């Protein structure tokens, strides 16, 4: 017969600071009301970012773009991608024509390519290429038209 007794004793020498307050925004545009909320929690700095554009203007009138970028290992990647994502979507060849004709399949291709282009952009940056910056950011994005929504991750 084998008997094992295990006792845990926990001593806390440090009480973490309380979570940081939540930032919240509510807005509307293109007949949509939307909101975003972000809380840093117990982390030293906020690693996440988001983008919200109610109307993509001349590139795709009536279309909106929304995205959440979940920073991992730092905030640099999430901030860069959030700042550049709309530009990378709207500059895709055929994006404006696809939006004008509501060509869902062509828009999916544009969104997919924008993700790949941003990934290549990040890897081309010396700090990411030599791994001195190990941040990353999975994302969830949505292209919202007057008649459909395309969600990517």
């Amino acid at each position: 017969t084998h008997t094992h007794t295990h006792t845990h004793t926990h001593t806390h020498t440090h009480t973490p600071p309380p979570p940081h307050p939540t930032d919240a925004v509510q807005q509307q545009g293109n007949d949509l009301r939307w909101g975003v909320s972000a809380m840093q929690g117990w982390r030293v700095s906020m690693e996440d970012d988001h983008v919200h554009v109610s109307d993509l203007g001349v590139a795709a009138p009536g279309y909106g773009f929304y995205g959440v970028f979940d920073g991992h290992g730092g905030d640099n990647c999430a901030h860069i991608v959030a700042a550049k994502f709309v530009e990378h979507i709207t500059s895709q060849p055929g994006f404006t024509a696809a939006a004008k004709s509501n060509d869902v399949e062509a828009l999916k291709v544009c969104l997919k390519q924008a993700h790949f282009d941003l990934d290549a952009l990040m890897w081309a940056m010396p700090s990411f290429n030599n791994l001195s910056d190990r941040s990353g950011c999975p994302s969830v994005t949505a292209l919202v038209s007057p008649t459909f929504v395309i969600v990517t991750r």
Side-chain angles (χ1 to χ4, degrees):
T1 304
H2 182 298
T3 305
H4 180 76
T5 305
H6 193 75
T7 305
H8 289 282
T9 304
H10 295 283
T11 305
H12 294 284
T13 58
H14 179 277
T15 302
H20 295 273
T22 301
D23 293 328
V25 175
Q26 293 181 2
Q27 294 184 1
Q28 60 185 38
N30 271 351
D31 295 325
L32 292 174
R33 287 185 292 170
W34 52 269
V36 63
S37 177
M39 186 178 92
Q40 181 176 322
W42 297 102
R43 296 194 181 275
V44 173
S45 65
M46 177 56 127
E47 294 183 348
D48 305 338
D49 209 336
H50 60 273
V51 63
H52 42 81
V53 179
S54 295
D55 193 313
L56 294 176
V58 295
Y63 281 69
F65 181 79
Y66 306 86
V68 176
F69 308 96
D70 183 15
H72 289 259
D75 63 0
N76 198 32
C77 183
H79 293 327
I80 292 169
V81 172
K84 295 185 176 287
F85 215 107
V86 170
E87 171 192 338
H88 278 267
I89 293 168
T90 58
S91 66
Q92 290 298 313
F95 176 80
T96 299
K100 186 174 183 177
S101 64
N102 291 318
D103 185 342
V104 174
E105 293 308 312
L107 290 167
K108 287 180 186 178
V109 170
C110 291
L111 285 167
K112 183 177 180 180
Q113 191 58 50
H115 280 84
F116 287 133
D117 289 351
L118 280 161
D119 189 56
L121 172 79
M122 298 307 294
W123 280 109
M125 293 180 177
S127 62
F128 287 92
N129 189 283
N130 69 22
L131 298 178
S132 62
D133 184 335
R134 294 177 163 259
S135 67
C137 69
S139 65
V140 176
T141 62
L143 180 66
V144 180
S145 87
T147 57
F148 58 85
V149 176
I150 301 172
V151 177
T152 60
R153 63 170 185 87

